[in-house]
Amino acid sequence: MMKSIIYLVSDSVGETAEQVTKAALSQFLNRMEHEIVRIPFVKEVAKLESVINHAVHDHAIIGYTLVNPTLRKYMAEKSKVLNVVAIDIIGPVLDGMERYFQQKPELKPGLVHRLDEAYFRRVEAIEFAVRFDDGRDPRGIEEADIILLGVSRTSKTPLSQYLALKSFKVVNVPIVPEVEPSEVLFHVPAEKCVGLKINAGKLHDIRRERLKSLGLKQEASYATFERINYELDYFQSIIDRIGCPCIDVSNKAVEETANLILQMQTPM
């Protein structure tokens, strides 16, 4: 069965178009396999022309949320000429409300989402946390606002994501005795770094549960006290070398640890 393609065009992020389209699709029990292609931030007629031509080639349908009347008119007329099914998702609503309220709409894309500078900082921080998760690339250490250090299972990744939602660029670095940390770590300001320490008993319980969830034997060295104490001693040596503060996460929720870290941060 051929896959149907749905182009969603917007002069903002296109989230409204996608939500409405998915809601409509859910009403078709025998709908064909489909692919949704979102095309956001369209500001020029030339881009609309390109999308319509692609729709002709792909036998696709177009849904659009364009508040700019010039763009809306072009989409409606051009798609009709080329026999492309194009659905104006927001236009009729704007027109109806204009008649009812006897007031012209603002015609500013994205007012619902308020894509201001703070929004983009938060998105950038989230992408940063994902890109540099678990020490994947030491280059992130120099760019980070906060550097989290800890042995395995000290909630480094969820903490990174939580802090990213607060618009901080966060790198988390796993401390493993067999892997020497990047030399960059010892040259960044120590106040950027935060060690996440945990007591051996708590870490033992967490790691045993982790092994169980993976279907592995709980006797694996990963969860033995001997291994855990070895890792914790090595972790402490790295923290002492850097000279950074530490937080005991043994009995703390992610949110509680994050708030303590935020209290350590001076205004950026």
Side-chain angles (χ1 to χ4, degrees):
M1 183 180 292
M2 187 177 69
K3 179 190 292 187
S4 58
I5 299 175
I6 304 169
Y7 287 110
L8 298 180
V9 183
S10 176
D11 41 19
S12 182
V13 293
E15 185 177 342
T16 300
E18 185 165 350
Q19 289 177 343
V20 173
T21 299
K22 286 181 175 179
L25 281 169
S26 69
Q27 300 299 315
F28 295 88
L29 298 178
N30 298 315
R31 63 186 184 276
M32 298 170 61
E33 183 183 358
H34 64 275
E35 176 185 358
I36 291 177
V37 180
R38 194 194 287 193
I39 305 166
F41 306 115
V42 175
K43 306 295 184 184
E44 300 173 351
V45 166
K47 182 64 176 178
L48 291 183
E49 184 174 12
S50 174
V51 173
I52 295 169
N53 288 335
H54 276 88
V56 172
H57 178 269
D58 297 333
H59 304 287
I61 185 174
I62 299 174
Y64 58 99
T65 51
L66 299 167
V67 298
N68 183 311
T70 301
L71 296 181
R72 266 201 288 152
K73 182 180 179 183
Y74 181 86
M75 175 65 85
E77 293 178 351
K78 186 71 173 183
S79 59
K80 186 175 182 180
V81 168
L82 295 179
N83 200 30
V84 173
V85 176
I87 304 166
D88 186 351
I89 295 171
I90 199 171
V93 179
L94 287 172
D95 294 341
M97 287 186 172
E98 181 179 348
R99 290 193 300 271
Y100 179 80
F101 292 118
Q102 297 185 347
Q103 180 182 340
K104 291 287 185 182
E106 291 286 337
L107 301 179
K108 295 178 182 178
L111 289 181
V112 171
H113 302 285
R114 295 289 180 184
L115 299 182
D116 55 13
E117 186 179 345
Y119 173 89
F120 286 112
R121 277 203 308 271
R122 188 162 59 251
V123 170
E124 184 182 5
I126 293 169
E127 291 176 345
F128 186 92
V130 171
R131 185 162 72 253
F132 295 110
D133 182 48
D134 212 21
R136 290 176 184 168
D137 187 341
R139 289 176 298 180
I141 293 173
E142 292 182 306
E143 300 176 39
D145 300 317
I146 301 171
I147 303 160
L148 303 178
L149 304 100
V151 301
S152 173
R153 313 313 297 173
T154 48
S155 299
K156 296 186 299 298
T157 295
L159 263 173
S160 297
Q161 292 296 326
Y162 187 95
L163 292 167
L165 289 171
K166 304 294 184 180
S167 300
F168 286 91
K169 291 182 178 180
V170 186
V171 164
N172 72 77
V173 180
I175 302 301
V176 184
E178 290 77 16
V179 181
E180 179 72 16
S182 169
E183 193 62 30
V184 178
L185 193 60
F186 303 103
H187 297 287
V188 296
E191 59 269 20
K192 276 190 173 188
C193 302
V194 180
L196 306 175
K197 65 181 180 181
I198 187 170
N199 71 57
K202 182 69 173 181
L203 185 56
H204 175 258
D205 292 341
I206 292 172
R207 288 191 174 183
R208 281 172 63 88
E209 286 301 314
R210 178 60 174 165
L211 290 173
K212 187 189 300 183
S213 70
L214 295 173
L216 302 174
K217 293 182 179 179
Q218 295 182 40
E219 294 76 21
S221 63
Y222 175 72
T224 64
F225 275 108
E226 182 180 7
R227 173 66 190 185
I228 287 171
N229 285 322
Y230 176 50
E231 289 188 31
L232 293 178
D233 287 344
Y234 180 73
F235 162 79
Q236 191 59 53
S237 71
I238 297 297
I239 296 303
D240 291 342
R241 186 176 165 190
I242 296 171
C244 67
C246 244
I247 295 175
D248 190 335
V249 300
S250 302
N251 298 297
K252 288 183 176 64
V254 167
E255 296 83 357
E256 186 179 359
T257 304
N259 286 332
L260 290 173
I261 293 172
L262 291 174
Q263 289 171 24
M264 296 176 180
Q265 302 304 306
T266 54
M268 298 282 175

